[in-house]
Amino acid sequence: MMRIVVLLFLGVLATGFVITAILASTSGGWVWWILVALTGLLVLLGVRDLVQKKHAILRNFPIVGHARYLFEFIRPEIQQYFIERNTDGKPFDRDTRSLIYARAKGADSHKAFGTERNVNELGHEYLLHSAAPVAPPASQFRVKVGSSQCTQPYEISLMNISSMSFGALSANAVLAMNKGAEMGEFVHETGEGGLTKYHLEYGADLFWEIGSGYFGCRTPEGRFNPETFAKKANHEKVKGITIKLSQGAKPGLGGVLPAAKVTAEIAEARDVPMGVDCISPASHAEFSTPRELMHFVGKLRELSGGKPIGVKFCVGSRTDIMALCKGMLDTGILVDFITVDGAEGGTGAAPLEYEDHVGAPLTEGLMLVHNTLVGAGLRDEIRLAAAGKIANGSDIIKRLIQGADFTFSARSMMMATGCIQAQQCHTNHCPVGVATQNKRLMRALDVEDKGHRVYNYHHLTVTESAQIMASMGLTSPTQLNTRMLRRRVNLQSTRSYASLFHWLRPGELLDEAPGSWKEDWEEADSDHFGEHAPLHYEEPMGVGIEASVVREPQDAVSAPRIEPRESAKVRPVHSDVTRPEGRPEGRPGVDS
């Protein structure tokens, strides 16, 4: 029946085409010829839709079916600009984005008529102000990073630019952030894509991130190159080294920058050859246990001349965190700082399953690491950083209460640089030139203007965090405690973080681990990552699950890097688990 309706529809179009042609030929008017052309195009489009086999909707509903794809194409913009409320948008709501843009411009970021948030909603959190507030400080607070084993400690800002690689970001975006960081005297972390000329252009203080690919300090075989590392790590602007174990959006997952995207600049920055896939493995080749990691930390500290060495990860197993602590206790080698990345963080593209369901959120991960360090008697030596969805002054305060000493932020810094949350980072089509290597797009990003915006945003946000602390009656972040942050737990009551969670006493794990921690602490050891010990209770019945090779079609191909809405001939894909992200036009998009 549907087919008959479609054929009748096409018949009407064809009849209209004939009638229009006759009218046009008799009148001689040019307007009629335009109508003839448009009608003819519609007829041809309808016939094409009817005979094609790629889209079922167009085959059943020619011409009118295109409306579905049109609405799907503009859905994100319609949702963002016309439907969502100020507190609805994700990952960052409209109020938060507006705040960032206003502060970046140095404009008024106040809002009238009260909050639009439901303050009685379960999970709502708020800070406790004081009946005796104090005056805010004239200068910004800074935190000393460096254990007793560090000979070149560094005083870091409460908020800094989190790791984003050149290649993930455009050269102009990196330059703008570097300029803003130099003006505001806060840290610009490089990302694992290497220490590049763009990170050094304006002289900002840097934390150089070393990932599993060892980009910028690797041998031709992809192993760590100590000579190259030492030369770069001793640069006067490199103030610290971060060893990346995992990241928020895709913990435990490596990445691939396809050969077509490895430009000359990318190859130079990463010490990789042109014409070869640039692979970032899921794990490091230089260590596989906490003990080996600590020896690697000691090696980097020596090669860098005693600069702070830290590790960054998204929290998974609690046993892993305890094993890291035991690695430090057993070897006597300390990390100088730990950066905890929340699962809700991540500037790059990742499989949806990882973004939504793998890794601990920042609140849980941060408090776990802080608590474990306290219980292991290591917290006084090691500084703790929080990274993931930190955008305003209250975010900074909350993370400090939950255990952090300072913070890193990536996406809010991208917004200060001009990002509009288009979520096109991995396509190389970033409309504002932040996350793209397309020269036509990135030319719109003015480095001087955006650099000033990064400075303004950081300065005003950190200043606001100090103002909040002053409203709480505090003269220093060291006076913050877990009683000052409360969460609504039901419709009738709220509870402070002090009473919501079990906070360990200094050295408590070493003396006598409490019952809820005892089993994991005993399992953790410096020669293993993960939960490796056998269970003490009955295991589930085994069903004989074994790995086997799945037969693949003979015409299987690598997964094409196209947008889902694009029309392309569908072929079976083979089981390539290292599929690169982004479009293969020969220009890099986001890869980390």
Side-chain angles (χ1 to χ4, degrees):
M1 182 64 183
M2 184 59 67
R3 188 72 63 186
I4 295 174
V5 173
V6 169
L7 290 174
L8 288 174
F9 176 72
L10 292 179
V12 171
L13 278 179
T15 303
F17 174 75
V18 173
I19 294 173
T20 305
I22 293 173
L23 291 174
S25 63
T26 56
S27 67
W30 62 271
V31 175
W32 291 106
W33 286 112
I34 294 175
L35 293 175
V36 169
L38 290 175
T39 305
L41 289 174
L42 286 174
V43 171
L44 292 175
L45 178 61
V47 173
R48 175 186 175 275
D49 291 344
L50 188 62
V51 300
Q52 60 84 35
K53 298 180 180 180
K54 296 177 182 177
H55 303 286
I57 288 179
L58 296 182
R59 191 169 173 85
N60 286 333
F61 303 95
I63 300 179
V64 294
H66 286 280
R68 185 261 185 189
Y69 296 102
L70 171 63
F71 291 134
E72 183 184 50
F73 182 75
I74 64 175
R75 179 183 179 278
E77 288 75 17
I78 296 296
Q79 179 77 19
Q80 179 177 152
Y81 297 121
F82 298 105
I83 297 177
E84 71 181 29
R85 298 174 299 176
N86 289 337
T87 58
D88 281 346
K90 303 293 183 182
F92 289 82
D93 61 47
R94 171 61 62 181
D95 272 350
T96 300
R97 300 200 303 272
S98 297
L99 176 71
I100 295 171
Y101 298 145
R103 285 186 177 163
K105 295 176 183 178
D108 183 8
S109 62
H110 293 78
K111 186 175 181 178
F113 227 64
T115 182
E116 295 181 24
R117 301 186 185 276
N118 180 6
V119 297
N120 294 312
E121 182 181 29
L122 295 183
H124 176 75
E125 296 181 344
Y126 61 94
L127 300 167
L128 299 185
H129 68 282
S130 172
V134 298
S139 57
Q140 294 187 351
F141 297 110
R142 302 186 74 85
V143 179
K144 182 179 178 181
V145 179
S147 68
S148 58
Q149 299 175 357
C150 173
T151 59
Q152 295 191 54
Y154 176 75
E155 292 190 351
I156 195 168
S157 171
L158 292 184
M159 186 183 191
N160 305 275
I161 299 175
S162 193
S163 51
M164 293 175 282
S165 306
F166 167 61
L169 299 186
S170 68
N172 285 4
V174 174
L175 288 170
M177 291 185 188
N178 194 256
K179 179 179 177 62
E182 190 280 330
M183 293 174 62
E185 298 182 342
F186 55 97
V187 160
H188 183 186
E189 196 169 63
T190 66
E192 67 173 312
L195 179 65
T196 73
K197 59 185 179 183
Y198 302 115
H199 293 105
L200 298 168
E201 177 69 20
Y202 287 99
D205 291 342
L206 304 172
F207 272 27
W208 180 17
E209 183 175 274
I210 308 297
S212 56
Y214 306 112
F215 299 129
C217 57
R218 57 186 269 144
T219 66
E221 297 76 30
R223 296 297 296 266
F224 176 70
N225 187 325
E227 291 78 17
T228 306
F229 171 82
K231 180 178 179 181
K232 295 182 178 180
N234 280 281
H235 191 285
E236 62 175 348
K237 287 302 176 182
V238 176
K239 303 300 183 180
I241 310 296
T242 303
I243 304 170
K244 192 193 89 167
L245 303 182
S246 63
Q247 66 186 87
K250 49 183 178 181
L253 187 67
V256 177
L257 188 65
K261 291 187 174 183
V262 182
T263 64
E265 283 188 317
I266 298 293
E268 178 186 5
R270 301 193 179 199
D271 286 339
V272 296
M274 295 279 290
V276 179
D277 287 347
C278 180
I279 299 176
S280 180
S283 59
H284 283 256
E286 298 302 310
F287 56 85
S288 59
T289 69
R291 186 187 302 274
E292 292 172 353
L293 170 58
M294 291 309 116
H295 287 301
F296 188 61
V297 167
K299 182 177 182 179
L300 297 191
R301 185 180 289 122
E302 180 181 358
L303 291 170
S304 66
K307 293 181 178 180
I309 310 296
V311 295
K312 169 188 171 182
F313 50 77
C314 176
V315 172
S317 167
R318 182 165 73 165
T319 308
D320 274 348
I321 311 305
M322 296 179 180
L324 282 175
C325 291
K326 287 192 173 181
M328 287 185 271
L329 294 171
D330 290 348
T331 62
I333 301 172
L334 302 174
V335 298
D336 297 295
F337 65 94
I338 294 175
T339 299
V340 180
D341 203 6
E344 64 270 44
T347 55
L352 187 63
E353 295 90 339
Y354 276 81
E355 289 186 337
D356 290 350
H357 303 294
V358 181
L362 181 55
T363 295
E364 285 76 9
L366 178 62
M367 292 193 301
L368 172 62
V369 175
H370 166 73
N371 223 5
T372 307
L373 289 173
V374 171
L378 299 169
R379 188 64 179 89
D380 290 342
E381 288 272 22
I382 300 169
R383 301 284 79 83
L384 194 54
K389 215 171 179 182
I390 294 165
N392 57 45
S394 63
D395 291 338
I396 296 174
I397 303 298
K398 287 180 181 180
R399 299 312 178 190
L400 297 186
I401 290 175
Q402 291 164 356
D405 296 300
F406 59 97
T407 67
F408 285 106
S409 180
R411 286 173 291 182
S412 65
M413 294 295 181
M414 290 174 67
M415 291 180 196
T417 313
C419 168
I420 59 173
Q421 195 170 278
Q423 296 180 283
Q424 296 291 312
C425 308
H426 62 299
T427 67
N428 202 39
H429 295 155
C430 172
V432 292
V434 174
T436 180
Q437 299 300 312
N438 185 312
K439 295 188 182 300
R440 181 184 65 83
L441 294 172
M442 74 166 130
R443 68 181 291 274
L445 198 161
D446 183 79
V447 172
E448 182 176 5
D449 176 70
K450 302 304 184 185
H452 293 164
R453 294 189 186 210
V454 171
Y455 165 79
N456 287 340
Y457 166 64
H458 170 272
H459 177 74
L460 294 175
T461 300
V462 174
T463 299
E464 197 62 37
S465 71
Q467 177 63 70
I468 294 173
M469 283 187 277
S471 297
M472 298 169 72
L474 311 178
T475 58
S476 168
T478 58
Q479 296 172 307
L480 290 166
N481 65 63
T482 52
R483 294 194 302 270
M484 298 176 179
L485 177 60
R486 300 187 70 87
R487 177 188 291 181
R488 179 163 294 281
V489 295
N490 56 51
L491 295 178
Q492 290 77 35
S493 61
T494 65
R495 293 177 63 187
S496 73
Y497 268 63
S499 63
L500 274 174
F501 304 98
H502 178 189
W503 301 96
L504 297 177
R505 301 188 308 276
E508 186 173 357
L509 291 175
L510 303 178
D511 299 332
E512 181 61 37
S516 60
W517 292 73
K518 185 178 179 63
E519 185 174 356
D520 289 338
W521 179 251
E522 291 177 349
E523 177 184 358
D525 70 75
S526 56
D527 293 314
H528 296 89
F529 278 119
E531 301 188 6
H532 57 88
L535 297 175
H536 298 301
Y537 47 85
E538 184 179 1
E539 297 185 23
M541 294 293 292
V543 292
I545 300 176
E546 296 181 357
S548 64
V549 178
V550 178
R551 180 181 63 84
E552 295 181 345
Q554 293 182 351
D555 57 345
V557 297
S558 295
R561 310 321 297 165
I562 61 173
E563 288 294 295
R565 64 172 64 96
E566 295 181 23
S567 177
K569 183 178 181 180
V570 176
R571 300 283 299 277
V573 297
H574 60 65
S575 53
D576 178 10
V577 296
T578 60
R579 294 193 302 272
E581 299 130 2
R583 297 291 301 277
E585 293 103 341
R587 305 274 189 202
V590 166
D591 66 292
S592 63

